[in-house]
Amino acid sequence: MERGAAAREKREYMRIHTARRTMLYIVRTLMLVIAGVMVCAFAFFTAARMSNLYILASEGMSLRAACILGGEDRAALEEYFLLACINKDERLNDDRYKNYTISSYNYDLDVENISVAPWSQTATVTAVEIVSIKGAISPDLIEEGKTSADYPVPEWTSGRYKLHFVNNGERWYLSEIELLEERPSVDALRTPDPNQSPLPMATPTPTPAPELITLP
């Protein structure tokens, strides 16, 4: 009798032990699945926000340059900037180009870093802005004995900026343009050495050059 009872107790213990191990395995597996889903969701929403901020920074800053150079209506800036940011933007509100006819310019914004989280209502984008301008002063402003060459178009000083964004619940807006560095150094492309034989490699996909923007 004692042996039979001991055997039953052992079988009962083994069943409980097996059930406990099975339950722990199921719980551990569910936790890993949930963690994996959370990581994927975090990565997806972060990537979506970063992509959105990249587009808004590129389009917004490009439109700002067009307004400064006199080619666009400043009211369009409200699609990208808060009014407070527009009103305190020194470059946007100066008139250094008002006496010049800008024929064309090259605009380039190199985004270096985007900092944002899926749950945050603020974000920052660090970027380098470079603008090259072609144009001439209005002919009626040229003094006697001088030519248009004596009135060069004011240089657009390149800069590294931290662009601050806020989210109003519906979309992102640029709230502040913080200058980090004027005339930042930009890595120049190396000149290939003709004495070195290139190694075989796949043909890279060409990167489109910055768009040449011609004002009407």
PDB file of all heavy atoms in Angstrom, residues 1-6 8:
ATOM      1  N   MET A   1       0.816  -1.203   0.000  1.00  0.00           N
ATOM      2  CA  MET A   1       0.000   0.000   0.000  1.00  0.00           C
ATOM      3  C   MET A   1       0.855   1.261   0.000  1.00  0.00           C
ATOM      4  O   MET A   1       0.586   2.234  -0.695  1.00  0.00           O
ATOM      5  CB  MET A   1      -0.935   0.004   1.230  1.00  0.00           C
ATOM      6  CG  MET A   1      -2.000  -1.066   1.206  1.00  0.00           C
ATOM      7  SD  MET A   1      -3.216  -0.766  -0.078  1.00  0.00           S
ATOM      8  CE  MET A   1      -3.948   0.714   0.561  1.00  0.00           C
ATOM      9  N   GLU A   2       1.910   1.215   0.862  1.00  0.00           N
ATOM     10  CA  GLU A   2       2.767   2.383   0.951  1.00  0.00           C
ATOM     11  C   GLU A   2       3.482   2.622  -0.375  1.00  0.00           C
ATOM     12  O   GLU A   2       3.652   3.772  -0.798  1.00  0.00           O
ATOM     13  CB  GLU A   2       3.777   2.186   2.077  1.00  0.00           C
ATOM     14  CG  GLU A   2       3.121   2.188   3.455  1.00  0.00           C
ATOM     15  CD  GLU A   2       4.132   2.006   4.555  1.00  0.00           C
ATOM     16  OE1 GLU A   2       5.332   1.859   4.218  1.00  0.00           O
ATOM     17  OE2 GLU A   2       3.757   2.047   5.739  1.00  0.00           O
ATOM     18  N   ARG A   3       3.912   1.496  -1.023  1.00  0.00           N
ATOM     19  CA  ARG A   3       4.596   1.643  -2.304  1.00  0.00           C
ATOM     20  C   ARG A   3       3.651   2.220  -3.352  1.00  0.00           C
ATOM     21  O   ARG A   3       4.029   3.059  -4.178  1.00  0.00           O
ATOM     22  CB  ARG A   3       5.132   0.300  -2.772  1.00  0.00           C
ATOM     23  CG  ARG A   3       6.293  -0.210  -1.949  1.00  0.00           C
ATOM     24  CD  ARG A   3       6.812  -1.505  -2.512  1.00  0.00           C
ATOM     25  NE  ARG A   3       7.958  -1.992  -1.732  1.00  0.00           N
ATOM     26  CZ  ARG A   3       8.617  -3.107  -1.991  1.00  0.00           C
ATOM     27  NH1 ARG A   3       8.216  -3.860  -3.028  1.00  0.00           N
ATOM     28  NH2 ARG A   3       9.629  -3.464  -1.228  1.00  0.00           N
ATOM     29  N   GLY A   4       2.377   1.761  -3.367  1.00  0.00           N
ATOM     30  CA  GLY A   4       1.410   2.275  -4.331  1.00  0.00           C
ATOM     31  C   GLY A   4       1.136   3.758  -4.115  1.00  0.00           C
ATOM     32  O   GLY A   4       1.019   4.532  -5.071  1.00  0.00           O
ATOM     33  N   ALA A   5       1.027   4.161  -2.842  1.00  0.00           N
ATOM     34  CA  ALA A   5       0.783   5.578  -2.555  1.00  0.00           C
ATOM     35  C   ALA A   5       1.976   6.426  -2.966  1.00  0.00           C
ATOM     36  O   ALA A   5       1.821   7.525  -3.508  1.00  0.00           O
ATOM     37  CB  ALA A   5       0.500   5.758  -1.065  1.00  0.00           C
ATOM     38  N   ALA A   6       3.169   5.903  -2.708  1.00  0.00           N
ATOM     39  CA  ALA A   6       4.380   6.652  -3.084  1.00  0.00           C
ATOM     40  C   ALA A   6       4.471   6.801  -4.595  1.00  0.00           C
ATOM     41  O   ALA A   6       4.873   7.853  -5.112  1.00  0.00           O
ATOM     42  CB  ALA A   6       5.625   5.936  -2.545  1.00  0.00           C
ATOM     43  N   ARG A   8       1.938   6.834  -6.693  1.00  0.00           N
ATOM     44  CA  ARG A   8       0.945   7.814  -7.127  1.00  0.00           C
ATOM     45  C   ARG A   8       1.404   9.245  -6.847  1.00  0.00           C
ATOM     46  O   ARG A   8       1.208  10.142  -7.662  1.00  0.00           O
ATOM     47  CB  ARG A   8      -0.395   7.546  -6.421  1.00  0.00           C
ATOM     48  CG  ARG A   8      -1.131   6.331  -6.962  1.00  0.00           C
ATOM     49  CD  ARG A   8      -2.576   6.311  -6.478  1.00  0.00           C
ATOM     50  NE  ARG A   8      -2.645   6.224  -5.017  1.00  0.00           N
ATOM     51  CZ  ARG A   8      -2.648   5.071  -4.342  1.00  0.00           C
ATOM     52  NH1 ARG A   8      -2.575   3.902  -4.990  1.00  0.00           N
ATOM     53  NH2 ARG A   8      -2.740   5.080  -3.014  1.00  0.00           N
TER      54      ARG A   8
END
